Amino acid sequence: MSDIFHEVDEDVRRDKAAELWRRYQTPIVILAVLIVAATGAWSYYQTNRQKAAEAANARFEAAVALANDGKAKEAAAAFDALAKDGPKGYATLARIRAAELREDKALALEELNAIAEDKNVDKLNQEVALLRAALIILDGGSREKMERALGPMMTSNGAFRFSAQEWNGLDALANNDFDEAERVFDILLSDRDAPQSMRQRAAAYRGLLHAKRGPKPAPAAAPAGGGATSGNVTVTPVIEPEQEGAASSGDAPFEVKPSK
């Protein structure tokens, strides 16, 4: 008797399965086709995206090579072309590099500030644009403009806060603002989050400051003959990678020249 009931149960289950298949076979087939099609489309998209990134990287490197060879106009044109039709990340970097290469520095500043204010540009690249703009301002010799340019980056969570602080100190030193320069260098020396190479440079710059002004200035005293040198200090900064524990030789990537 148990075998008979078991066979009946099996027949009932088969009938139910067949009925479900007859009722839902069309939606099931469509769903399966959609899954296969979506998987293929995603794979195709990813492949094309990778190829576009590789092509953009090759174009970017070619433009960089032109810039390194001193062909500023050709490099700027190549970066402009990539900025128009390249993937978003490469397009933003190309905009920054193209702006840097402008012969008209006022136009370069305008383009870099536009990138820094563009809401479609990510925060990190906005700060890169501000930092590059600060380099142009530094060449112009305006202390007030330099402070305004670097101010937004000298925050506790700024990606380039250490570079901004260092450049602010160097600009103050170049303009004989010794108190501000020493204050900034002391901040860098005491900040354990700052890269070791940058702290070493800050110590060297503070030594240069003391040699120029003296560690304890006497406001009313005139510089004695053979004492500290007078005149401006010329500095040429580069961007310091913001990575803790980065390898360093201890040498400053800045050209520091007291003027005669």
Side-chain angles (χ1 to χ4, degrees):
M1 293 292 294
S2 61
D3 291 340
I4 294 174
F5 286 123
H6 180 72
E7 290 178 2
V8 171
D9 288 340
E10 287 292 331
D11 291 339
V12 171
R13 281 196 290 270
R14 281 195 296 270
D15 290 341
K16 286 183 177 180
E19 178 62 25
L20 287 173
W21 173 248
R22 283 192 297 270
R23 181 178 299 179
Y24 297 110
Q25 63 178 335
T26 300
I28 291 173
V29 170
I30 292 174
L31 179 61
V33 170
L34 289 176
I35 291 174
V36 172
T39 302
W42 177 252
S43 177
Y44 178 77
Y45 168 76
Q46 289 291 83
T47 300
N48 282 353
R49 185 180 179 184
Q50 180 65 27
K51 289 181 179 179
E54 291 174 354
N57 181 69
R59 292 170 64 188
F60 189 87
E61 292 296 330
V64 170
L66 288 172
N68 292 339
D69 291 339
K71 300 176 181 179
K73 289 184 178 180
E74 293 87 341
F79 283 126
D80 282 333
L82 181 57
K84 290 179 180 178
D85 57 17
K88 185 176 181 179
Y90 281 102
T92 301
L93 292 176
R95 286 177 65 190
I96 294 172
R97 292 301 304 271
E100 290 179 310
L101 294 169
R102 305 298 185 207
E103 293 183 1
D104 185 342
K105 295 308 177 185
L107 176 60
L109 276 175
E110 182 181 340
E111 291 185 6
L112 288 169
N113 287 330
I115 296 170
E117 295 174 1
D118 190 341
K119 294 181 179 180
N120 293 321
V121 175
D122 62 276
K123 182 66 175 178
L124 183 61
N125 278 319
Q126 286 179 334
E127 293 198 4
V128 170
L130 287 174
L131 202 62
R132 297 296 190 179
L135 273 179
I136 297 174
I137 295 171
L138 180 62
D139 289 338
S142 174
R143 176 71 184 139
E144 183 179 353
K145 290 181 179 179
M146 187 67 172
E147 287 180 319
R148 287 203 304 266
L150 293 176
M153 288 180 284
M154 291 189 289
T155 59
S156 60
N157 61 347
F160 299 103
R161 63 187 182 278
F162 300 121
S163 290
Q165 288 170 349
E166 183 178 22
W167 293 10
N168 182 43
L170 288 169
D171 189 56
L173 179 59
N175 286 276
N176 295 331
D177 188 351
F178 299 124
D179 291 339
E180 174 65 9
E182 187 164 31
R183 184 189 71 81
V184 173
F185 295 147
D186 285 343
I187 289 175
L188 285 172
L189 283 168
S190 61
D191 193 336
R192 294 300 175 184
D193 291 331
Q196 179 63 27
S197 59
M198 191 172 289
R199 296 203 298 269
Q200 291 173 348
R201 291 201 301 275
Y205 299 143
R206 191 172 63 172
L208 176 63
L209 184 154
H210 289 171
K212 188 172 189 287
R213 181 204 65 182
K216 294 181 180 180
T229 60
S230 62
N232 293 329
V233 176
T234 300
V235 291
T236 305
V238 297
I239 293 179
E240 173 71 20
E242 301 296 328
Q243 295 180 357
E244 177 63 26
S248 170
S249 63
D251 296 332
F254 293 82
E255 184 182 1
V256 182
K257 296 179 180 178
S259 300
K260 296 182 179 179

